[in-house]
Amino acid sequence: MILNTSTVHIHADLIEACKQGDRKAQKRLYELYSRAMFNICSRMLGDRAAAEDALQEAFINAFSKLHTFAGRASFGAWLKRIVVNKCLSHLNKSQINTEPIPPQLAEEAEDQGYVEGELFLSSKKVHEAIKTLPRGCRVVFNLYQLEGYDHQEISQILGVSVSTSKSQLHRAKKLLKIRLRE
């Protein structure tokens, strides 16, 4: 989404109104960002009800901490961090399994390359395949591929090593290739 300066100004006014407790401004800010943030929750949690809960909790958290928003990053980036953290909190309640892949299995996967063919997939099929990934792989895949975090950031967010993040991403990609070919 490309924002022009008037759009940024409108958001700044909305944010300021929200800081003053204006419920209509809060509703408008929610309307502007809830769909994109719900998509993040849905991808990370893989469950609509959990995604809805995490989204609501994230917005409540964001509105209660809005006074800390200094504008150094965009509001969307600031909110996204809250949403990702809330999703991770939900996932941590049931423990994310991010076991490192044994080196011989990782090497085996590298050796078993495949010939790229034309494959036409709907986004729904891709999203469904992502949902079937083991939780640790799905979280790392979403954070890296879809949310744009690097392995160093993921390791800090999840409290795992960089190599674990890389191995989980590798495993996720391998599993997705298999599942999308089925």
Side-chain angles (χ1 to χ4, degrees):
M1 178 179 174
I2 298 173
L3 299 175
N4 61 32
T5 54
S6 64
T7 305
V8 172
H9 182 66
I10 290 170
H11 289 280
D13 290 345
L14 275 175
I15 292 165
E16 193 53 43
C18 289
K19 287 180 179 180
Q20 303 303 316
D22 183 335
R23 293 282 197 195
K24 288 182 182 180
Q26 288 177 343
K27 182 178 185 225
R28 181 69 183 130
L29 207 55
Y30 178 85
E31 290 168 349
L32 287 169
Y33 288 93
S34 62
R35 176 176 247 174
M37 298 303 141
F38 176 76
N39 289 338
I40 292 169
C41 293
S42 184
R43 286 190 302 261
M44 288 189 68
L45 300 174
D47 175 68
R48 184 175 183 82
E52 290 170 349
D53 289 346
L55 178 70
Q56 294 306 314
E57 291 173 24
F59 267 97
I60 290 168
N61 194 2
F63 286 132
S64 69
K65 294 184 178 189
L66 198 53
H67 64 280
T68 67
F69 175 68
R72 283 175 264 154
S74 70
F75 177 77
W78 181 80
L79 180 60
K80 179 179 173 181
R81 182 62 124 182
I82 292 172
V83 168
V84 166
N85 287 338
K86 188 54 67 179
C87 289
L88 291 172
S89 174
H90 274 258
L91 289 170
N92 283 337
K93 289 177 186 173
S94 57
Q95 293 298 313
I96 301 171
N97 180 16
T98 55
E99 293 296 319
I101 298 172
Q104 73 268 19
L105 182 60
E107 289 172 18
E108 209 174 281
E110 296 274 340
D111 293 340
Q112 293 178 357
Y114 65 95
V115 176
E116 287 285 343
E118 289 190 35
L119 187 59
F120 298 97
L121 302 170
S122 69
S123 62
K124 182 178 180 177
K125 185 173 180 176
V126 172
H127 286 291
E128 290 301 318
I130 291 170
K131 285 181 185 178
T132 68
L133 293 172
R135 187 170 294 188
C137 290
R138 185 179 71 238
V139 169
V140 171
F141 181 84
N142 282 324
L143 289 173
Y144 186 86
Q145 292 294 139
L146 304 175
E147 306 308 330
Y149 291 100
D150 64 29
H151 289 294
Q152 184 65 40
E153 292 169 317
I154 293 169
S155 74
Q156 291 171 351
I157 291 169
L158 298 179
V160 299
S161 69
V162 171
S163 63
T164 297
S165 175
K166 288 179 179 180
S167 67
Q168 290 294 311
L169 179 63
H170 178 77
R171 181 174 179 220
K173 287 178 177 180
K174 179 182 172 198
L175 290 170
L176 281 175
K177 286 176 188 174
I178 292 167
R179 291 182 177 150
L180 291 173
R181 290 190 174 282
E182 292 174 351

